[in-house]
Amino acid sequence: MNDKLKTVIKTIRLELNNDPDGIIIGKIRNGNTEQSDNSNPKIQSYFDFLKECNGVRCGSIDIFGADIIQDYQFMVNNIPGGNDKWLYIGQILYEPVVINKIDSKVYRFFRGNEDINTADCLGLFDEFLLNYVFGDKYAEIVPDAEDDEWYRFLKKIKVEKCEKIYNNKIE
């Protein structure tokens, strides 16, 4: 996980904790250093994420923590390649979000249509977090995002503020 993403996560966590409606809007859990490594370097970015935050609930997106991820691995049984190819890490509007253990990319599948040709590729894990979970592309994958509390929260705190902090442009 790069420093920019760590800064974004810390800043958003702080803003959520300071917002009176923060508990309703989202949740960024504290990190879990106990489950930080795995045997496949292609999915290590997810396990690095768990060190920083052991799961998140960000509006319509949930990324699972180490304490529950194994409970959901049966969900990849219907996806071609199954557990050998996919790690089920969360959901977007209750649709499965998985990391490909071969190309390191995040995909969203739609229940009942687990064909890779119809899945949404959302980039590498860190890109997925920066762009879709914590960024403007959230509106591309969540219908009616303008009415979504998480998206309004991101706009309110101006996520680009996180980048300015990272780049030391503001004190």
Side-chain angles (χ1 to χ4, degrees):
M1 177 178 291
N2 64 44
D3 289 339
K4 177 180 177 179
L5 183 53
K6 286 179 184 179
T7 300
V8 167
I9 290 169
K10 287 177 185 172
T11 303
I12 291 175
R13 180 186 284 137
L14 179 66
E15 294 288 337
L16 265 178
N17 290 338
N18 290 334
D19 191 302
D21 294 324
I23 192 88
I24 298 166
I25 296 168
K27 175 77 174 163
I28 299 177
R29 296 172 61 191
N30 291 326
N32 177 351
T33 56
E34 293 176 21
Q35 296 234 213
S36 58
D37 292 315
N38 78 93
S39 60
N40 183 345
K42 296 288 188 176
I43 57 173
Q44 185 60 42
S45 58
Y46 170 73
F47 289 89
D48 291 343
F49 164 78
L50 295 177
K51 291 180 196 176
E52 293 298 315
C53 43
N54 189 27
V56 298
R57 178 183 45 81
C58 302
S60 296
I61 301 174
D62 296 310
I63 306 297
F64 301 141
D67 51 335
I68 64 170
I69 190 167
Q70 291 307 318
D71 297 342
Y72 289 92
Q73 294 314 301
F74 73 93
M75 296 291 289
V76 297
N77 291 340
N78 295 331
I79 300 173
N83 283 313
D84 292 337
K85 188 172 182 181
W86 305 103
L87 178 68
Y88 187 80
I89 60 163
Q91 56 192 10
I92 300 170
L93 292 168
Y94 305 103
E95 300 291 353
V97 174
V98 296
I99 296 179
N100 184 307
K101 295 178 181 180
I102 298 165
D103 71 9
S104 304
K105 292 181 181 169
V106 173
Y107 293 84
R108 174 177 57 170
F109 283 91
F110 297 92
R111 291 179 202 258
N113 189 3
E114 286 82 8
D115 179 4
I116 186 66
N117 295 319
T118 62
D120 289 339
C121 179
L122 304 171
L124 298 173
F125 186 70
D126 287 1
E127 295 167 353
F128 165 68
L129 291 174
L130 281 171
N131 296 324
Y132 294 97
V133 179
F134 303 124
D136 288 331
K137 288 188 176 186
Y138 180 88
E140 292 178 17
I141 59 173
V142 174
D144 302 316
E146 294 296 329
D147 296 326
D148 184 280
E149 297 219 19
W150 177 255
Y151 189 65
R152 287 193 302 229
F153 172 75
L154 291 177
K155 291 182 85 132
K156 180 177 93 175
I157 67 166
K158 298 180 176 68
V159 173
E160 60 269 10
K161 171 181 164 183
C162 301
E163 290 190 30
K164 289 178 183 175
I165 292 170
Y166 173 73
N167 293 323
N168 297 318
K169 292 182 180 173
I170 62 174
E171 314 277 319

